[in-house]
Amino acid sequence: MSQPFSENQELVSDLVACQLVIKQILDVIDVIAPVEVRDKMSGQLKNIDFATHPAGQDPVTRRAIEKAIALIDLKFDRAGQP
């Protein structure tokens, strides 16, 4: 039987699992969602006003939102290229 994970190992494992799920979701969206939906997803995140939104108070959440925007834009920009 394997040894239990440390708290840090468990966190890394959770992070990797989330990344895999996000990749799968983006792949599905890439297949079924029209360009307008993809643009709207990115636009909604870009329109968050960090000065008033609770997410702006937490630097980790704010960075996660910035990364999500980058992932959406990068994924769909690459998908649209020949």
Side-chain angles (χ1 to χ4, degrees), residues 22-40:
I22 289 167
K23 183 188 179 325
Q24 292 299 315
I25 292 168
L26 288 173
D27 288 346
V28 169
I29 291 169
D30 188 35
V31 171
I32 65 172
V35 174
E36 297 81 17
V37 172
R38 300 172 196 165
D39 290 342
K40 183 177 180 181

Side-chain angles (χ1 to χ4, degrees), residues 1-13:
M1 185 160 189
S2 64
Q3 296 177 336
F5 282 159
S6 69
E7 186 176 331
N8 190 47
Q9 289 172 317
E10 192 66 39
L11 182 62
V12 170
S13 175

